[in-house]
Amino acid sequence: MFRSLAVKGAWPVTLAAAGILMVTMGARQSLGLFVSPINTSTGLGIVTISLALAVAQFMWGAVQPIAGAIADRYGPEKVLVGGLIVLAAGSALTPFMESGFGLVVSLGLLSAIGSGAGSFSVLIGASAQRLPVSARGTASGVINAGGSFGQFVFAPVLQKLISAFGWMGAMWSLAVMVLAALPMIGVLVRHRVPKREASPDDKGLWHAVRGAIGDRSYFLLHLGFFTCGFHIAFLVTHLPGEVALCGLPATVASWSLAIIGLANIAGSLYAGACIGRYRSKMVLFWMYASRAALVGVYLLAPKTELTFYLFAAGLGFTWLATVPPTAAIVGKLFGVRYLATLFGLTLLSHQIGGFLGAYLGGIAITAQGDYAWMWYADMALAAAAALCNLPIREAKVEAMAVSTGG
């Protein structure tokens, strides 16, 4: 599986990118643990807090193409440094916010912009430009696994910190952990992009963006990724609330999130390996179809600790494992010169879905007292996402070795 990374500089680039993503995604995917403590402390209400986290979902996606464009043009170093500093600032300022507007600023804007600038579009784009074509699929799987490992580590650690020092102390601790990731940026950018000859087909960033937006396959890819965002944001924001509704302790939620992250390490590595063997659109089809089936099984199952852990393991295998095949399709359609920007736009559609998943979940629990209709919507959207990927234009794997370049 890892033989393609046995080239000079491949492992340092890949592991540095994975380490940075471990921190930014671990911080971002664990914020649902703070919903109940913040509500108890401030009395702002679940809907208000959900709105702040929904804004965070959207802003995390909105910053991706912007950060990607800046990185494509000027290099990733300043983007990543600025992102980690802004993320740390958002975490450190959150305990001082006593209004819904304040939470929107700290969590919805600062933390989201910072984590977005240090996330998939910039990291996968930067690594792809520094690696040979043969190593990119495996590297994207390893990088993605780093984000999942962050969720596995951060969820239980932050839950322990909340219990020991309160949610404010946990937020300040999170800020320190984010700043500790800064040295990894130097390892990533130390390996310079190989000098490339000017391509006569390269007409600039905005020409590439306009061409991609008019591409039917790119549009269908966005529709599927929209559903992925809805699904993930709903769960990371409201899984602790679902656990509480079932009368189970908060530790079940934190360990469920951790299990999701652990399972996605395996899922991400497997997805990265599958890119070289199967068409990425078929990998995505089966991932989304499995989510629809798993939600259906969960709704019928007794709500015990074991059910949540098994559900988390099943969903975790495909959780963010959709990223490597999605990025691979973007690279195959348009090359890697502007991958950070074009994949950033795809992530924006992901986070529009994320905004709706986080915010509508808050409305559902407030209006109806449970998340029933959100689960049904999630299952239906997952099935639709599976079908959206089938018509995507993608060459068979045998032909890709000739046609993909960058």
Side-chain angles (χ1 to χ4, degrees):
M1 179 184 294
F2 300 114
R3 281 182 295 179
S4 62
L5 294 177
V7 295
K8 185 178 180 180
W11 274 113
V13 166
T14 302
L15 292 179
I20 296 167
L21 190 62
M22 177 190 75
V23 174
T24 60
M25 289 301 292
R28 177 177 173 270
Q29 296 285 66
S30 303
L31 289 179
L33 299 172
F34 290 89
V35 172
S36 179
I38 291 175
N39 182 47
T40 301
S41 174
T42 64
L44 291 173
I46 298 297
V47 172
T48 298
I49 299 168
S50 296
L51 176 60
L53 294 181
V55 171
Q57 292 290 340
F58 176 77
M59 287 305 302
W60 184 86
V63 78
Q64 297 275 343
I66 298 170
I70 296 171
D72 280 337
R73 187 172 180 85
Y74 301 107
E77 183 173 13
K78 291 183 175 62
V79 176
L80 292 171
V81 170
L84 291 181
I85 291 173
V86 172
L87 172 56
S91 301
L93 290 173
T94 295
F96 299 104
M97 301 303 178
E98 298 179 349
S99 67
F101 177 76
L103 286 182
V104 168
V105 171
S106 63
L107 291 179
L109 296 178
L110 292 177
S111 291
I113 290 171
S115 59
S119 195
F120 293 107
S121 62
V122 174
L123 292 171
I124 288 181
S127 60
Q129 291 178 356
R130 288 164 170 79
L131 297 172
V133 175
S134 60
R136 290 171 189 163
T138 302
S140 67
V142 174
I143 293 167
N144 203 61
S148 302
F149 185 69
Q151 182 172 333
F152 170 70
V153 171
F154 275 62
V157 167
L158 287 174
Q159 185 65 61
K160 288 287 187 183
L161 289 171
I162 291 170
S163 299
F165 305 111
W167 73 269
M168 294 182 179
M171 274 288 179
W172 290 322
S173 300
L174 179 59
V176 173
M177 288 187 276
V178 169
L179 292 176
L182 285 169
M184 287 186 281
I185 298 172
V187 178
L188 173 61
V189 301
R190 186 182 304 139
H191 298 268
R192 300 296 177 185
V193 178
K195 188 174 182 180
R196 59 168 67 90
E197 296 293 330
S199 171
D201 297 327
D202 186 357
K203 298 179 181 178
L205 173 62
W206 300 117
H207 183 273
V209 170
R210 287 195 297 269
I213 290 174
D215 189 287
R216 179 171 175 266
S217 293
Y218 192 57
F219 175 73
L220 290 171
L221 192 66
H222 279 221
L223 289 180
F225 222 36
F226 167 91
T227 292
C228 183
F230 180 95
H231 168 87
I232 288 176
F234 166 56
L235 284 171
V236 297
T237 306
H238 298 290
L239 184 62
E242 175 77 2
V243 168
L245 284 176
C246 297
L248 298 171
T251 53
V252 174
S254 62
W255 278 112
S256 294
L257 290 172
I259 289 169
I260 287 173
L262 182 63
N264 197 228
I265 295 172
S268 296
L269 295 174
Y270 182 69
C274 284
I275 290 171
R277 300 176 61 191
Y278 311 105
R279 283 191 284 187
S280 293
K281 69 176 187 177
M282 297 308 301
V283 176
L284 290 171
F285 168 82
W286 287 110
M287 284 182 176
Y288 291 131
S290 71
R291 290 182 183 182
L294 281 167
V295 171
V297 171
Y298 166 76
L299 292 175
L300 295 173
K303 303 305 183 286
T304 64
E305 291 188 23
L306 180 60
T307 294
F308 276 101
Y309 295 150
L310 292 176
F311 182 54
L315 288 180
F317 193 76
T318 68
W319 187 250
L320 285 170
T322 55
V323 170
T326 302
I329 290 175
V330 176
K332 291 167 190 174
L333 291 173
F334 310 111
V336 300
R337 173 64 184 87
Y338 300 112
L339 178 60
T341 304
L342 297 178
F343 185 51
L345 288 170
T346 310
L347 284 163
L348 174 57
S349 69
H350 185 278
Q351 293 313 115
I352 293 173
F355 174 90
L356 293 173
Y359 186 46
L360 293 179
I363 292 177
I365 187 64
T366 302
Q368 297 185 319
D370 60 35
Y371 296 105
W373 72 269
M374 288 293 293
W375 288 115
Y376 295 132
D378 188 34
M379 184 166 54
L381 286 171
L387 297 176
C388 280
N389 279 275
L390 293 179
I392 289 175
R393 170 175 53 88
E394 183 184 7
K396 292 183 178 180
V397 173
E398 291 79 9
M400 289 174 193
V402 177
S403 62
T404 58

